[in-house]
Amino acid sequence: MSTASRQPVTSDPKAMPAHVAIIMDGNGRWARARGLERLEGHWQGYRTLKKIVYAADEMGIRHLTVYGFSSENWRRPEAEVGGLMSLMLRAMKAEIDELAANGIRVRVLGRLSQLPADLRQEFEQAMERTADYQRMTFNLAINYGGRSEIVDAVRAVAAEAASGRIRPEEITEETVASRLYAPDTPDPDLLIRTAGEMRLSNFLLWETAYSEIWVTDTFWPDFSQELLAEAVRGYQARTRRFGAVVE
Ligand code: IPE
Ligand code: IPE
Ligand code: MG
């Protein structure tokens, strides 16, 4: 990705967030409230995600990262996990042409080796096909855990140290950050969580050090372009200090 397509983190209150991250939560509760199966909520969540990807692009958000399946979500009933895996496969097959036609770079963040082989292959093809696209980066966190991501980065740095390519005293925050799953995506400016929970659930632990957090009670399937715009306005009204004094 060229540097021209990236925007620096800025404290200009009117600026668009360069990177918006979303914890898409509440599919199950949305379904239960309608007497539907949880999987119906996930399918509706997919339809919402599709709208939000293109809405974010239209608004000029350059990087969008969404939490689709956490490393802890394997604890769910087998039928739900299996249903989510086949949803993701069908969704990626259905959407990749349109994403590519719109110049959107797709990247999947997480331990892909633990996913079903057909899904992993679909994700790898999507990433390869769109690797050079620069209009917007769409990161999909699947089998993702913030702690695993840091562990994987630490393993990479440790291997370099063991082979003598880097000395321990040379290791900086940049060294670690450059081994994370999306090293050329800036840290999220704005983190949105739907369905009201006030927690990170192991999402982007390193990257959200200074993200502005915006939570809505709305369940993910009911999330909308209007709510995204509201979150951005909320973000723009905040004062980001990054530990400094800002008058
Ligand atoms: C988010 O919705 C989607 C995934 C975690 C896969 P949930 O399935 O967590 O919905 P709730 O939180 O049970 O309502
Ligand atoms: C976080 O939601 C993971 C995703 C949205 C993919 P969860 O529903 O898994 O989070 P908890 O269990 O409420 O913390
Ligand atoms: Mg949930």
Side-chain angles (χ1 to χ4, degrees):
M1 168 155 291
S2 79
T3 44
S5 68
R6 273 186 274 157
Q7 294 176 357
V9 171
T10 172
S11 56
D12 174 2
K14 293 285 168 288
M16 275 315 278
H19 181 186
V20 174
I22 308 180
I23 300 174
M24 308 182 292
D25 198 17
N27 295 350
R29 279 165 280 175
W30 180 92
R32 195 174 55 200
R34 286 161 180 74
L36 302 170
E37 296 290 319
R38 291 178 60 83
L39 266 172
E40 300 274 355
H42 296 314
W43 277 97
Q44 198 57 39
Y46 155 43
R47 292 180 194 107
T48 300
L49 176 58
K50 175 168 184 172
K51 278 192 298 188
I52 293 304
V53 169
Y54 295 111
D57 180 34
E58 252 174 54
M59 288 167 71
I61 292 165
R62 303 302 306 270
H63 304 268
L64 178 71
T65 302
V66 301
Y67 207 2
F69 190 88
S70 78
S71 49
E72 288 73 35
N73 287 150
W74 299 105
R75 295 172 185 160
R76 296 184 176 204
E78 220 177 290
E80 182 175 353
V81 170
L84 279 165
M85 296 296 148
S86 60
L87 186 167
M88 289 190 276
L89 182 64
R90 286 172 61 183
M92 187 55 85
K93 279 184 191 289
E95 300 303 333
I96 188 60
D97 286 344
E98 193 175 341
L99 289 163
N102 281 281
I104 295 173
R105 177 185 184 187
V106 177
R107 188 162 42 184
V108 185
L109 318 180
R111 290 187 174 166
L112 301 193
S113 59
Q114 294 164 351
L115 295 176
D118 50 359
L119 182 59
R120 189 179 71 216
Q121 201 184 3
E122 192 66 32
F123 283 162
E124 279 166 357
Q125 281 171 5
M127 285 192 274
E128 258 171 57
R129 178 170 168 192
T130 62
D132 296 328
Y133 295 174
Q134 300 189 0
R135 188 177 158 85
M136 179 175 87
T137 301
F138 172 44
N139 293 314
L140 200 51
I142 304 294
N143 191 24
Y144 173 90
R147 288 186 173 178
S148 318
E149 181 182 30
I150 295 169
V151 167
D152 288 348
V154 167
R155 282 184 186 161
V157 177
E160 288 172 49
S163 69
R165 276 174 288 154
I166 190 166
R167 284 178 307 180
E169 61 273 24
E170 291 171 341
I171 297 169
T172 62
E173 290 186 10
E174 286 70 34
T175 315
V176 177
S178 69
R179 272 81 175 173
L180 297 174
Y181 295 149
D184 52 5
T185 292
D187 288 343
D189 301 298
L190 171 61
L191 172 70
I192 296 171
R193 183 164 186 149
T194 61
E197 241 71 71
M198 304 269 186
R199 56 178 171 251
L200 288 174
S201 301
N202 203 13
F203 190 44
L204 302 178
L205 297 183
W206 176 283
E207 299 88 334
T208 52
Y210 271 101
S211 300
E212 295 296 328
I213 300 174
W214 191 88
V215 177
T216 174
D217 284 336
T218 301
F219 296 142
W220 174 251
D222 288 331
F223 194 73
S224 61
Q225 177 159 12
E226 291 68 35
L227 276 174
L228 177 61
E230 192 181 321
V232 168
R233 282 195 299 276
Y235 162 82
Q236 288 170 333
R238 308 259 184 102
T239 302
R240 303 185 77 185
R241 284 188 283 275
F242 300 99
V245 177
V246 175
E247 298 299 338

